[in-house]
Amino acid sequence: MIPLIENFEFTVNVPRETVMSRFTNPFFFVGSLGHVAILELYDESSQNFVMPSQATSPNFTKFHVAYLFGAGKAWIKIGNGVKTKEGFLEGPIYSPLGISYRGELLDHETKFEMDISVNKMNAGSLVKIMVNITSSSNFWLKASGFNFSEFMEHMIKGHVVPIMSGYPVSKSMC
């Protein structure tokens, strides 16, 4: 199991504070990935993953998730429909260098860590994302024709970059 490290760098015409607020909100961030759905969050009191409505002491940094992949029409049940693989996601995890998210599939065969730093630029922000992937399975290649590294690259280039770049800076209603 050899780790694979991928680096992505892009600029957005959005203030650093706005970009950081998007990356540090796990619900916004997961939504921007386009291929991850939060199913449950960790409840400290029951020490288990539960639906948000059932959590009495919710931990908003630990999630039971579904990784979604594939393409096709939702109403087609046979063939090239959307497939899922269950797993976990933890984050945001704060450090002096930025924030991180860690993910793992339920079968523990694929893990990743995504380290994100955002630096202020004159006209916006410079975003750097380093993804460290460890996988002992060729599940992704067999199931979809691509490996997990290509899946992560697609989520970042195909979803995160356009969302972070194009999502309007919100204005307060107050």
Side-chain angles (χ1 to χ4, degrees), residues 67-96:
Y67 295 95
L68 312 166
F69 62 98
K73 308 261 185 273
W75 57 88
I76 298 175
K77 300 292 183 201
I78 301 172
N80 294 331
V82 174
K83 298 167 182 69
T84 64
K85 195 80 166 149
E86 281 185 80
F88 302 99
L89 184 71
E90 184 178 1
I93 302 160
Y94 298 93
S95 78

Side-chain angles (χ1 to χ4, degrees), residues 40-51 54-59:
E40 300 172 309
L41 54 81
Y42 192 76
D43 180 44
E44 298 290 345
S45 61
S46 68
Q47 296 192 2
N48 202 359
F49 288 94
V50 299
M51 288 188 299
Q54 296 173 335
T56 56
S57 300
N59 180 330

Side-chain angles (χ1 to χ4, degrees), residues 53-126:
S53 63
Q54 296 173 335
T56 56
S57 300
N59 180 330
F60 290 103
T61 65
K62 292 183 180 181
F63 305 96
H64 172 218
V65 298
Y67 295 95
L68 312 166
F69 62 98
K73 308 261 185 273
W75 57 88
I76 298 175
K77 300 292 183 201
I78 301 172
N80 294 331
V82 174
K83 298 167 182 69
T84 64
K85 195 80 166 149
E86 281 185 80
F88 302 99
L89 184 71
E90 184 178 1
I93 302 160
Y94 298 93
S95 78
L97 300 176
I99 58 170
S100 299
Y101 283 87
R102 293 184 192 129
E104 179 176 7
L105 297 184
L106 200 57
D107 59 16
H108 307 292
E109 291 184 351
T110 303
K111 299 177 183 183
F112 70 89
E113 184 166 354
M114 188 180 298
D115 297 312
I116 304 164
S117 66
V118 182
N119 297 306
K120 185 176 183 175
M121 294 182 56
N122 291 339
S125 304
L126 173 66

